[in-house]
Amino acid sequence: MDSDGTQDARGTHATPVPRPAAPPDPPVVPPRPTRAPDSSAFLTWLRTPRPEALPGVWRFGHSPRAVEEPEEIPTRQLLSGALIAFLVGWLIWSLLQNGYLGSWWWIPFDLIVPDSWRGDDSVIGDVGNALVYRGYEVLVAIGIMIGVARLGRWSEVWHRFGAPRFRRRPPAPAAPVPEQDPAEWPQLRAVGAVDAAERLAAEARAGMMRDVDHARLVRAWQSVRSGRHSLATFTGAVLTDGAAACPHPSGARDLPARLAPHDLVTGQVRLGTTADDPRNPYAYRGTGLALGPELLGTSLLAIGPAGSGKTGTVVRPLAESLCLHALAGRAAVVVVGAAGTGLGPADAYDVVVRIGNPESVYDLDLYGGTTDPDEAAAVLAEALAGDLADPHPGSDGRRATTVLAQLLGPFRAVHGRFPSVPELRQLLDGAPGPLAALRTALEGSGQESLLRELDARERQMAQPGDVGGVLADRVALLDRPAFAGFFDTSGQSRPFSLKALDHPVRVRIDLPARGHADASRMLTRLVLAQFTASVAVREDRSLFACLILDDATGAVTPEAVRGIQRLRSGNAGAVLTLRSLDDAPRPLRGPLLGAAGCRMALSGITPWDGQDFAEVWGKEWTEARDVTDRQIIAETPAGKAVHMVRRVITGKAPTARAVTVRQVERERWSASELAHAVPPGHAVLSLTDVRGEHAPPLLVDLRG
């Protein structure tokens, strides 16, 4: 069994998944652990509990906290109260013993104790009297002690100061029951695949299984459960290859290096720690903050200035996590960023497209791998003119799509391919030679409908405000010497198409680092448009598909926002980062924040960016305490003397404090707090998962 069904989608065998950008190293079997097999790091990791938790909580070894913060008494008040309660109890006992409170406390003794229990005047009687009377006194003393202990909160004093000093080391966890031990593969044993379960369990105990292997085999087992593959095929592969069964098409079983903590059982990657801040809900304070496909499926928008850590603390860990998911057969990821921005080594990807670099092995398909001229025109129009829809009413996306379709259809009918960049530029410019040659070829083939398309294009070219000139100027940005070897349509290069998202593929696209800023923004729009179009028509939607744009400047268009809104239904998501919301058109800022289920404001954003976040996060009811100090006026000479002495000692006039508590509606995070109260290396993050559960804005330390 070479795959789990997600790697060989129907209709894609003619264009197999591209192999790694660099030849993978041969699999290296890890050395046997020096410790006992049952105490190996892998088994400990696998057996660690992962309880259900709130969205965004790092579940690996998580200990759930109370939802509401318990009321904690200050230490000084607690100790003083306990001491005063003890003194009060001692005073009451002394008064009872000395008879200052009368003999009423003996009434229960006279009513309850029968006369026969009281001894006579003999020696034995004296002993009996002492036992009965002293026993009653002990009971009274215990009652007084219980009362003052509750009054003085002695139990809380013990738990806070005494118990930690005598607390023993917790006992080692007992070995899990084989029927419940994930390392024993009980799901395989339950269906009779005992030999396969024994093989995998033995390799896990021997240290020959990685977390990626476990996740990949679990994914393959899910394909068996769904009926995509037979149990015999799966068990045969496991008995033959062990932990290396059902491999990724690249043959890789791990990434060259990892920078962030990952848990492939839950699919999470840890980004930081939720700060112990009063503005965070108590259940989140001090917990790990992690993201997974269930949260990225609603898309993530991160806003922060240059140097705030978007790439290093957000983009790189997420790209690393999704690459691990791809190796496990769970996801397909496309990472787009400027060359040299640190998005991971080339060996961590199957395909690396270095646009503008002559040494690039792969090319980018300008038309998204489609053969339909109308579909290709719609995607290309979004890339060329998507950002011009608002400032240029005559250059909206629909007219641009029509113009491109009028040229792409006839050209493909004649040449069997779409035009290259220079050819497309000439057609859009209306050069008489290429248009005349195209007309002649169409007349010879007898395709009258395509001739009418070409006639309409020539008529529109003669009208003022024709959008063809705008499109030609945009195509000219790609018709440069630096891109001469790219976007080839003649079949001489190895173009990558986002149609490959049916497979667990790892792709990195490097945009020109400098000198071609406009072309880079246009290519970013092109990849985003191709991604949203491709995930909508995928045959296998069990794979999570994610697009990561390290800098989405210029990619936010009306069609892009609508496409991001549709990603959740296709088991896909997008991660977009911006330096500021000013990089998006003003009418689209609200829809963009609404389309992203996860929103992150990093340290250093501007107050006007903070205002947009404050509006989308809304308000909440909170308790406001108003404290008023009122000066006490003494009316008697003695009171005035006491107040004078107190003022001399404390330096303040005697006052009476009045506290008013009321419910008010306030912003969760105000624009000023987001701009000035978020420490460096921190971010405020709100979360929503694909099931609709959400977490309020959380202050997160991305350095933890």
Side-chain angles (χ1 to χ4, degrees):
M1 178 179 178
D2 297 330
S3 70
D4 62 359
T6 62
Q7 302 155 358
D8 296 317
R10 292 172 295 174
T12 57
H13 298 284
T15 55
V17 179
R19 295 313 186 206
D25 296 332
V28 179
V29 178
R32 288 182 176 273
T34 56
R35 298 176 295 174
D38 288 338
S39 61
S40 66
F42 173 77
L43 293 179
T44 302
W45 168 81
L46 187 59
R47 291 167 176 166
T48 299
R50 298 166 174 85
E52 293 295 329
L54 297 170
V57 173
W58 174 251
R59 292 173 52 191
F60 180 79
H62 172 63
S63 298
R65 304 183 67 181
V67 178
E68 298 293 338
E69 181 178 7
E71 184 179 357
E72 184 174 345
I73 302 174
T75 301
R76 180 178 178 182
Q77 180 180 348
L78 181 64
L79 294 179
S80 61
L83 178 60
I84 293 173
F86 172 75
L87 295 177
V88 170
W90 190 6
L91 177 61
I92 294 175
W93 177 250
S94 299
L95 295 176
L96 291 176
Q97 286 290 312
N98 295 325
Y100 291 109
L101 298 180
S103 58
W104 59 267
W105 62 291
W106 285 100
I107 295 177
F109 178 82
D110 296 332
L111 295 175
I112 297 175
V113 178
D115 294 339
S116 60
W117 287 21
R118 306 173 189 177
D120 51 20
D121 294 337
S122 63
V123 175
I124 298 177
D126 292 340
V127 174
N129 287 334
L131 291 176
V132 173
Y133 283 90
R134 292 297 177 264
Y136 177 73
E137 290 179 351
V138 170
L139 291 177
V140 174
I142 292 175
I144 295 175
M145 185 180 296
I146 293 175
V148 299
R150 291 185 176 180
L151 182 64
R153 299 184 177 90
W154 289 5
S155 60
E156 188 171 347
V157 173
W158 167 255
H159 288 301
R160 190 181 300 187
F161 302 103
R165 297 180 179 273
F166 298 95
R167 186 172 297 162
R168 297 180 180 179
R169 180 178 298 178
V177 181
E179 291 77 8
Q180 301 175 354
D181 186 3
E184 297 295 330
W185 294 87
Q187 63 271 39
L188 296 183
R189 300 178 188 272
V191 297
V194 179
D195 294 340
E198 291 290 347
R199 174 69 185 274
L200 295 178
E203 295 207 358
R205 289 191 294 268
M208 300 174 64
M209 183 178 290
R210 304 175 177 88
D211 56 351
V212 178
D213 297 330
H214 180 269
R216 188 183 65 253
L217 292 170
V218 170
R219 168 71 178 178
W221 172 246
Q222 291 174 352
S223 70
V224 174
R225 294 286 302 272
S226 64
R228 207 172 301 166
H229 288 282
S230 65
L231 177 61
T233 305
F234 174 77
T235 55
V238 170
L239 292 176
T240 302
D241 301 322
C246 314
H248 184 266
S250 67
R253 296 172 61 185
D254 205 347
L255 296 180
R258 301 189 188 185
L259 298 181
H262 301 271
D263 182 24
L264 292 181
V265 173
T266 59
Q268 293 180 314
V269 54
R270 180 166 179 165
L271 298 185
T273 304
T274 307
D276 189 4
D277 188 273
R279 288 169 291 197
N280 287 337
Y282 180 74
Y284 278 96
R285 296 179 194 173
T287 63
L289 191 283
L291 299 181
E294 74 283 353
L295 291 171
L296 296 180
T298 62
S299 298
L300 169 66
L301 175 65
I303 307 296
S308 59
K310 299 188 299 298
T311 301
T313 61
V314 179
V315 173
R316 176 68 185 273
L318 291 178
E320 190 175 271
S321 174
L322 291 168
C323 285
L324 290 173
H325 281 286
L327 290 179
R330 296 174 174 176
V333 57
V334 179
V335 183
V336 182
T341 52
L343 298 178
D347 293 345
Y349 296 91
D350 302 315
V351 176
V352 177
V353 182
R354 299 182 174 95
I355 300 177
N357 188 340
E359 298 179 358
S360 178
V361 178
Y362 288 92
D363 191 4
L364 181 64
D365 193 330
L366 191 65
Y367 301 97
T370 184
T371 58
D372 183 3
D374 293 331
E375 182 181 349
V379 173
L380 189 57
E382 169 65 13
L384 297 178
D387 60 331
L388 300 178
D390 289 334
H392 298 274
S395 303
D396 55 38
R398 287 174 296 182
R399 293 192 60 186
T401 301
T402 302
V403 169
L404 289 171
Q406 290 171 345
L407 296 174
L408 296 183
F411 191 94
R412 180 171 179 79
V414 171
H415 299 281
R417 61 177 178 86
F418 289 122
S420 63
V421 170
E423 291 171 334
L424 181 60
R425 181 183 180 183
Q426 291 178 349
L427 292 174
L428 290 172
D429 274 333
L435 287 176
L438 186 59
R439 172 178 294 278
T440 302
L442 287 175
E443 291 174 349
S445 61
Q447 301 190 39
E448 299 296 334
S449 61
L450 295 179
L451 277 173
R452 288 194 295 270
E453 293 281 344
L454 199 59
D455 291 339
R457 173 86 285 268
E458 291 178 345
R459 287 195 303 269
Q460 292 171 3
M461 289 170 52
Q463 298 178 0
D466 177 49
V467 72
V470 177
L471 296 178
D473 293 340
R474 287 303 181 92
V475 173
L477 296 175
L478 302 179
D479 190 17
R480 307 297 301 165
F483 307 130
F486 289 86
F487 317 117
D488 181 63
T489 59
S490 63
Q492 302 299 319
S493 64
R494 301 179 64 184
F496 169 75
S497 167
L498 269 72
K499 293 292 185 181
L501 294 179
D502 274 330
H503 305 275
V505 64
R506 303 166 294 165
V507 183
R508 193 186 79 190
I509 301 177
D510 292 345
L511 302 176
R514 57 179 180 269
H516 301 279
D518 292 336
S520 296
R521 286 192 286 268
M522 188 167 61
L523 291 173
T524 302
R525 289 194 301 273
L526 176 65
V527 174
L528 179 56
Q530 291 183 0
F531 178 82
T532 55
S534 299
V535 297
V537 296
R538 286 191 304 165
E539 296 181 1
D540 184 8
R541 295 194 179 186
S542 63
L543 277 178
F544 176 70
C546 188
L547 172 66
I548 300 179
L549 299 180
D550 186 44
D551 184 4
T553 302
V556 181
T557 66
E559 185 59 35
V561 173
R562 287 190 288 268
I564 293 173
Q565 292 173 338
R566 295 190 295 264
L567 291 179
R568 185 189 305 188
S569 60
N571 192 21
V575 177
L576 288 74
T577 68
L578 293 171
R579 295 184 180 89
S580 171
L581 284 173
D582 289 338
D583 294 335
R586 183 64 197 176
L588 295 179
R589 295 177 192 175
L592 177 62
L593 288 170
C598 304
R599 311 171 189 98
M600 176 183 289
L602 287 93
S603 173
I605 66 171
T606 60
W608 40 93
D609 283 348
Q611 183 62 41
D612 291 324
F613 277 99
E615 291 179 359
V616 75
W617 281 333
K619 299 180 179 181
E620 64 178 346
W621 288 99
T622 185
E623 187 178 87
R625 301 172 64 92
D626 296 331
V627 180
T628 304
D629 288 334
R630 178 180 59 84
Q631 184 176 356
I632 301 175
I633 306 299
E635 297 179 356
T636 63
K640 293 180 179 180
V642 171
H643 286 188
M644 182 179 299
V645 173
R646 183 175 176 181
R647 181 179 298 176
V648 171
I649 295 174
T650 62
K652 298 180 181 179
T655 58
R657 175 168 293 183
V659 180
T660 303
V661 181
R662 54 193 176 90
Q663 294 289 327
V664 297
E665 191 178 21
R666 291 181 178 174
E667 293 177 329
R668 298 177 184 271
W669 280 82
S670 67
S672 178
E673 289 175 332
L674 290 171
H676 306 295
V678 179
H682 289 64
V684 180
L685 171 65
S686 65
L687 302 170
T688 304
D689 65 13
V690 293
R691 297 182 301 272
E693 298 182 12
H694 64 277
L698 306 171
L699 179 62
V700 180
D701 185 359
L702 299 176
R703 303 168 301 181

